[in-house]
Amino acid sequence: MSHEHSHFHASLEAHDDIAINPSANPPLAELINPARRNVLKGGLSLAALGFFAGGISACSKAGASPLLGFQGVPVQIDPQFDRVLVAEGYRAVPFFSWGDPVEAGAPAWNPDASDDWQAQLKQAGDNHDGMDFFAFPGETERGLLVMNHEYVNPPLHPSGQIDQTKPRPLAEVRKEQAAHGVSVIEVKKGADGHWQRVMDSPYNRRISMLTAMRIAGPLAGLDVMKTVSDPSGLEVFGTLNNCATGVTPWGTFLTCEENWHNYFINRDKQDYEARVSHKRYGLAKEGTSKNYAWETADPRFDATPYADQAHGGHVNEPHRFGWVVEIDPFDPKAQPIKRTAFGRIGRECAALSLGADGRMAFYSGDDAKGEYVYKFVPAGRFDASQPQANRDLLDQGTLYVARFDADGSGQWLALVHGQNGLTVDNGFADQAEVLLNARAAADRAGATPMDRPEWAAVHPKTREVYVALTNNDGRGAKQPTDKANPRPQNLHGQVLRFNEQNADPTATAFTWELFLLAGENRGAKGQDGQPVPVNLTGTINGDLFSSPDGLAFDAAGRLWIQTDYDDSEAPMQAMGCNQLLCADPATREVRRFLVGPRGCEVTGLAWSPDGKAMWANIQHPGISFPASDGKTRPRSTTLLITKLDGGVIGS
Ligand code: FEO
Ligand code: CA
Ligand code: CA
């Protein structure tokens, strides 16, 4: 998510872009050239950046890339745009919205949002995000669609408000907690050829902030994981701020906890400063109100180390978030499992790369300004003939963080106690502390601070890895520019790609390059007739966009790109509403496939096994989508997208 899109939640969005990385890792050799710096010094005020209006309404035509078989759609700059525009020859319809019934006994959504939290526990959560499709074994026309519900917006409540300035009513907090998490819904292709939900499926399931889950891996049961309500350190209620996802080769869903830090507060200033596991993640501190103030109704979210433990004892609760959570969608009774071997970060995703020999890697971004790109390499190998042995493959392995060198090479730095400076002398008592404070470990190891790493995607054939670096307006000030993050005050972001040595997911060396820089192209003129400043010019071959976020490959190797920017703010205003685009990795051509309603983020992508149905999420639409009547409260919604001629999406 971005931090500032619609009026509904401007103050409530998780602040995923606040730089709290204090490390002084050396910049890559290449600094931005002095001429560029001068442009910036000339006084870039965001308010003054009224460019683009005339420049980017065009869209590209079908034909140049063999992979991209559709005609692009134009940007939508109408401030009242309240629907979805998809490429000609396609159909996009609302499929699954916040409040829709999921579990047995769930009521239908009430337009006045008056459902209580018990109802919300059985209904679709809010802010649909990352999503995957799991076919039933041996079937192609029936499966489970599993998606994240990242956070909540004020329309969740009948008043349309969340008042953080007063103690929160517990019932409101519970409803918000119930609206977080994950939905599992069964879908099948109907007799009419259209995909539909199976409303009475036993697989339909909600997982929320109130669902008990197991803690597994190296930190399970350790003191740092114990709280007054879980003296075992083995069980935790809920998962939070579930952003993007991953899929394992053994058919489980990985949900990733991103901006969990915004839900906790530590009011003890002295303790806060000294406690790396709070401070390095940017928990709220006394006087800040960036969270939902859950701690005013539910003491679990007050992580202050009060002397009187009867009134506290939750100082370790924030240690129980920031993980990859494994969910078996085919076993509705199975507890979700937090896999601590992955390390604790602001986890964006866990994108799988599977080698021919069963060895694998899971790639993750940590989405905040100047944070890092990680991969986790399980110690074992996937073996399809040993389903039981695969069950706990995620509990042992090596966490790495990336260093992108200026010559186009790169290194994976192992976050292993005793290596890369991760020693007792440097403040890391043992491997548990390395994993708990993975950000600090990555600082010490010398990782490259990046422009807010969002999703990673792995090419289905070559295993080339793509990472969306969404933007970083602090680049140049807090972190010097470098080759991988070349633009100061980077409002538009970039997509970077890399190849592991010998295409081996477990390699420790790789080569990388920038796939594209988003933003207006060089030489373009703004509204004022002046050239667009060089720090905002991009290298897109095709349709323009800003702030790449969601990334996913389809089976044919098309790279789909989803955007997340504040569409009300210059210069993004002229990019129009957020978008879903498609790129050809070979030609780098980019074409705009879909535009979402005003105020939304476009995120989450899944396909049917034949590639002829695609689901995409419209997160936090701003006006009244999907009713699109100008008055019904807006609802995050999954779209079902099909081609009118029944063909493969994008072909
Ligand atoms: Fe939840 Fe960084 O997006
Ligand atoms: Ca984002
Ligand atoms: Ca995102």
Side-chain angles (χ1 to χ4, degrees), residues 304-352:
T304 311
Y306 295 113
D308 175 3
Q309 285 296 299
H311 291 94
H314 298 285
V315 66
N316 289 337
E317 190 68 21
H319 297 171
R320 293 141 62 88
F321 296 86
W323 305 107
V324 170
V325 186
E326 185 173 10
I327 294 170
D328 183 353
F330 292 107
D331 183 355
K333 299 244 178 326
Q335 265 198 336
I337 304 172
K338 298 206 175 189
R339 300 291 188 185
T340 60
F342 276 81
R344 176 170 161 269
I345 60 174
R347 175 83 51 182
E348 185 72 34
C349 62
L352 168 72

Side-chain angles (χ1 to χ4, degrees), residues 1 129 150 243-244 258 348 367 454-455 549-550 564 601 603:
M1 76 184 102
D129 206 331
E150 191 181 24
C243 189
E258 187 192 8
E348 185 72 34
D367 177 12
E454 292 259 14
W455 295 33
D549 186 331
D564 174 19
E601 167 183 347
T603 184

Side-chain angles (χ1 to χ4, degrees), residues 286-619:
E286 188 67 64
T288 61
S289 60
K290 65 183 180 176
N291 57 8
Y292 297 103
W294 282 358
E295 76 280 359
T296 61
D298 185 343
R300 166 152 85 113
F301 297 90
D302 187 343
T304 311
Y306 295 113
D308 175 3
Q309 285 296 299
H311 291 94
H314 298 285
V315 66
N316 289 337
E317 190 68 21
H319 297 171
R320 293 141 62 88
F321 296 86
W323 305 107
V324 170
V325 186
E326 185 173 10
I327 294 170
D328 183 353
F330 292 107
D331 183 355
K333 299 244 178 326
Q335 265 198 336
I337 304 172
K338 298 206 175 189
R339 300 291 188 185
T340 60
F342 276 81
R344 176 170 161 269
I345 60 174
R347 175 83 51 182
E348 185 72 34
C349 62
L352 168 72
S353 178
L354 178 63
D357 60 1
R359 290 184 298 169
M360 62 197 128
F362 294 88
Y363 299 95
S364 297
D366 181 344
D367 177 12
K369 295 175 192 175
E371 295 299 339
Y372 307 121
V373 174
Y374 296 81
K375 76 170 173 180
F376 173 70
V377 175
R381 298 182 188 208
F382 168 64
D383 180 348
S385 71
Q386 303 286 334
Q388 277 315 110
N390 295 325
R391 283 282 149 181
D392 291 313
L393 276 176
L394 301 183
D395 279 346
Q396 284 178 15
T398 306
L399 177 64
Y400 296 90
V401 68
R403 193 187 72 212
F404 296 86
D405 292 328
D407 63 358
S409 68
Q411 288 291 322
W412 288 109
L413 309 166
L415 300 182
V416 172
H417 194 252
Q419 298 180 27
N420 292 313
L422 305 175
T423 61
V424 174
D425 286 350
N426 287 331
F428 296 92
D430 51 23
Q431 183 61 17
E433 191 155 355
V434 169
L435 294 172
L436 182 70
N437 291 324
R439 280 184 173 177
D443 296 343
R444 171 60 65 174
T448 303
M450 308 298 284
D451 287 343
R452 295 186 54 202
E454 292 259 14
W455 295 33
V458 180
H459 190 285
K461 297 188 178 72
T462 65
R463 294 200 280 273
E464 186 168 51
V465 186
Y466 289 67
V467 179
L469 302 169
T470 197
N471 55 49
N472 180 359
D473 63 6
R475 177 67 66 175
K478 294 242 166 69
Q479 300 97 28
T481 54
D482 58 40
K483 277 255 183 159
N485 306 276
R487 294 181 295 182
Q489 203 178 343
N490 176 13
L491 300 184
H492 292 313
Q494 62 263 31
V495 177
L496 179 151
R497 65 180 175 187
F498 57 88
N499 281 288
E500 301 277 20
Q501 196 166 50
N502 304 321
D504 173 3
T506 72
T508 55
F510 59 89
T511 56
W512 66 272
E513 64 170 345
L514 288 169
F515 180 62
L516 60 80
L517 298 174
E520 181 61 285
N521 283 330
R522 195 144 299 183
K525 294 223 167 59
Q527 228 169 12
D528 56 3
Q530 296 301 306
V532 171
V534 69
N535 75 301
L536 295 181
T537 60
T539 60
I540 297 173
N541 173 17
D543 290 341
L544 301 182
F545 64 94
S546 177
S547 303
D549 186 331
L551 282 185
F553 275 101
D554 65 21
R558 294 179 198 86
L559 177 65
W560 296 82
I561 303 172
Q562 300 173 306
T563 68
D564 174 19
Y565 46 79
D566 180 351
D567 62 16
S568 69
E569 190 172 279
M572 276 68 100
Q573 205 170 16
M575 297 279 184
C577 298
N578 277 285
Q579 317 171 19
L580 168 61
L581 307 105
C582 188
D584 180 335
T587 65
R588 303 188 196 225
E589 192 176 344
V590 179
R591 199 167 298 165
R592 189 179 302 110
F593 178 73
L594 177 150
V595 177
R598 179 65 51 186
C600 83
E601 167 183 347
V602 181
T603 184
L605 266 185
W607 289 268
S608 60
D610 60 8
K612 295 177 176 175
M614 173 199 257
W615 288 269
N617 282 326
I618 299 299
Q619 192 190 74

Side-chain angles (χ1 to χ4, degrees), residues 233-306:
L234 293 170
E235 191 176 68
V236 56
F237 280 107
T239 182
L240 261 187
N241 215 268
N242 305 80
C243 189
T245 68
V247 172
T248 65
W250 49 96
T252 57
F253 176 78
L254 302 177
T255 181
C256 301
E257 299 178 328
E258 187 192 8
N259 290 302
W260 50 270
H261 61 282
N262 286 321
Y263 300 78
F264 296 97
I265 190 164
N266 178 347
R267 300 181 194 281
D268 182 327
K269 287 192 178 121
Q270 214 175 339
D271 181 82
Y272 186 96
E273 289 304 315
R275 196 176 291 273
V276 175
S277 66
H278 288 188
K279 186 184 180 188
R280 184 63 183 81
Y281 294 87
L283 262 63
K285 48 187 165 184
E286 188 67 64
T288 61
S289 60
K290 65 183 180 176
N291 57 8
Y292 297 103
W294 282 358
E295 76 280 359
T296 61
D298 185 343
R300 166 152 85 113
F301 297 90
D302 187 343
T304 311
Y306 295 113

